[in-house]
Amino acid sequence: MHTKLTRLAPTPSGFLHLGNLYSFLITKALSEKHGSKVLLRIDDLDRDRYRQEYVQDIFDSLDFMEISYDIGPKNLKEFESDWSQIHRMNSYLDTLETLRNQKVLFACDCTRKRIQQLDSSGYYLGYCLDRRIPLDKMDTSWRYNTFNTDFIKIKEYPNLEGTYTLPEDGAFFMVRKKDRLPAYQLTSVVDDIHFGVDFIIRGKDLLSSSLDQKVLAESLGNNSFNEITFFHHSLIKGPKNVKLSKSEGATSIQYLRKEGKSPAIYTRCLGN
């Protein structure tokens, strides 16, 4: 197996935790094994949660762990001036317009509370699909209609083909948020195609995102996305067997770094 480009794709919505580091180390190891270059792509379109100190933490953590990459910004200033997703906004908006013209989108005005009330699972199951809300209505998000989605096939590491049906947490996924900014599933597809990524390494919890993105790429008629190999690795769990999360206050690399822990300790712990 030979790959050309993989990526580290953190979001600056909090300080990086050990789960992020674990994924980074796996990505680096597999990139070296298979001759793939590494892109640092920072997903920063969640502007409500964006903080410069979170971006700086990404650079500090990668430097501390001596995790190198081949393509991407080297510091905060370079990121904001040249590499922020804001600079690719026209590509995202063009893609949204393409999807709109294909009539595969529908508007949704549901809040998180409303979604929880509609289904105790918290999954959005297409409540607004038949409500015919105009796409131009204010305070609505745009969702992709996955009602007729068939089996989804993806290439899986090392040389397998996985066949899946779309799980409930991936159904009717969002492509534009209520603030009119492009949503994660869309920007991730556009960016991976833009940079030529052909090897995506992420946690098992993001399998549904991989499937959503494959569906989206097929709708856009992009065949290059079919050549991407996916590896969904196991997750590091915290107390009560819950996955580590920035929002749940998982132990940050920054805190442990300031406590004087060495990179070797992280590597040994994550390896176990």
Side-chain angles (χ1 to χ4, degrees), residues 65-111:
M65 290 302 302
E66 299 180 353
I67 299 175
S68 61
Y69 52 94
D70 305 284
I71 305 169
K74 300 304 180 184
N75 52 56
L76 172 62
K77 182 179 179 181
E78 191 173 308
F79 167 71
E80 292 190 331
S81 64
D82 299 317
W83 290 88
S84 168
Q85 289 184 311
I86 291 173
H87 302 302
R88 298 190 289 280
M89 184 63 73
N90 286 340
S91 294
Y92 307 142
L93 296 180
D94 288 344
T95 302
L96 282 170
E97 191 62 24
T98 296
L99 294 172
R100 177 173 183 163
N101 291 336
Q102 290 178 350
K103 302 186 184 305
V104 294
L105 306 180
F106 64 96
C108 169
D109 59 7
C110 291
T111 62

Side-chain angles (χ1 to χ4, degrees), residues 212-234:
D212 285 348
Q213 290 165 20
K214 179 67 183 299
V215 169
L216 192 55
E218 288 181 351
S219 183
L220 294 170
N222 192 281
N223 295 325
S224 65
F225 207 85
N226 292 330
E227 300 307 312
I228 293 179
T229 296
F230 292 86
F231 177 58
H232 299 95
H233 59 73
S234 58

Side-chain angles (χ1 to χ4, degrees), residues 2-271:
H2 178 74
T3 59
K4 296 180 180 178
L5 185 67
T6 186
R7 81 284 207 279
L8 309 173
T11 56
S13 57
F15 294 113
L16 297 182
H17 55 69
L18 291 178
N20 301 122
L21 176 57
Y22 181 59
S23 189
F24 289 175
L25 290 172
I26 292 176
T27 299
K28 185 61 178 175
L30 290 179
S31 70
E32 292 177 349
K33 180 178 181 180
H34 297 290
S36 178
K37 290 186 176 181
V38 179
L39 162 74
L40 174 61
R41 191 194 81 199
I42 300 174
D43 294 346
D44 68 318
L45 275 193
D46 187 349
R47 304 312 292 181
D48 289 338
R49 301 172 67 189
Y50 178 86
R51 300 289 185 275
Q52 287 187 334
E53 57 264 37
Y54 295 155
V55 179
Q56 186 60 51
D57 178 63
I58 293 170
F59 294 114
D60 292 343
S61 297
L62 291 173
D63 182 63
F64 177 71
M65 290 302 302
E66 299 180 353
I67 299 175
S68 61
Y69 52 94
D70 305 284
I71 305 169
K74 300 304 180 184
N75 52 56
L76 172 62
K77 182 179 179 181
E78 191 173 308
F79 167 71
E80 292 190 331
S81 64
D82 299 317
W83 290 88
S84 168
Q85 289 184 311
I86 291 173
H87 302 302
R88 298 190 289 280
M89 184 63 73
N90 286 340
S91 294
Y92 307 142
L93 296 180
D94 288 344
T95 302
L96 282 170
E97 191 62 24
T98 296
L99 294 172
R100 177 173 183 163
N101 291 336
Q102 290 178 350
K103 302 186 184 305
V104 294
L105 306 180
F106 64 96
C108 169
D109 59 7
C110 291
T111 62
R112 290 185 180 181
K113 182 178 180 180
R114 177 61 172 160
I115 293 172
Q116 187 71 41
Q117 290 172 339
L118 290 168
D119 193 284
S120 60
S121 68
Y123 299 139
Y124 180 82
L125 301 180
Y127 171 72
C128 295
L129 185 59
D130 295 323
R131 294 176 63 207
R132 310 297 182 185
I133 301 172
L135 288 173
D136 292 326
K137 183 180 178 181
M138 296 296 294
D139 298 319
T140 58
S141 61
W142 289 1
R143 292 181 179 271
Y144 187 96
N145 182 4
T146 60
F147 184 79
N148 293 317
T149 300
D150 205 344
F151 292 106
I152 305 166
K153 294 183 178 181
I154 59 173
K155 294 174 65 175
E156 295 186 306
Y157 180 83
N159 291 299
L160 304 172
E161 182 179 72
T163 302
Y164 299 91
T165 56
L166 200 61
E168 288 183 331
D169 65 336
F172 306 109
F173 57 88
M174 194 180 300
V175 295
R176 197 189 78 171
K177 299 180 292 182
K178 287 185 178 180
D179 60 8
R180 296 180 175 258
L181 286 175
Y184 167 74
Q185 305 296 13
L186 182 133
T187 60
S188 187
V189 169
V190 172
D191 284 353
D192 285 332
I193 293 172
H194 171 77
F195 288 108
V197 170
D198 63 355
F199 192 15
I200 294 178
I201 300 161
R202 51 172 45 141
K204 289 182 178 179
D205 59 323
L206 292 176
L207 173 60
S208 61
S209 285
S210 298
L211 301 178
D212 285 348
Q213 290 165 20
K214 179 67 183 299
V215 169
L216 192 55
E218 288 181 351
S219 183
L220 294 170
N222 192 281
N223 295 325
S224 65
F225 207 85
N226 292 330
E227 300 307 312
I228 293 179
T229 296
F230 292 86
F231 177 58
H232 299 95
H233 59 73
S234 58
L235 304 178
I236 293 181
K237 301 292 183 67
K240 299 181 181 180
N241 203 35
V242 176
K243 75 169 186 174
L244 298 184
S245 166
K246 296 171 187 172
S247 61
E248 294 297 330
T251 303
S252 70
I253 302 171
Q254 182 203 57
Y255 174 78
L256 297 176
R257 188 171 68 240
K258 290 181 177 179
E259 288 292 297
K261 306 299 183 183
S262 71
I265 291 177
Y266 292 106
T267 305
R268 287 199 299 270
C269 290
L270 294 174

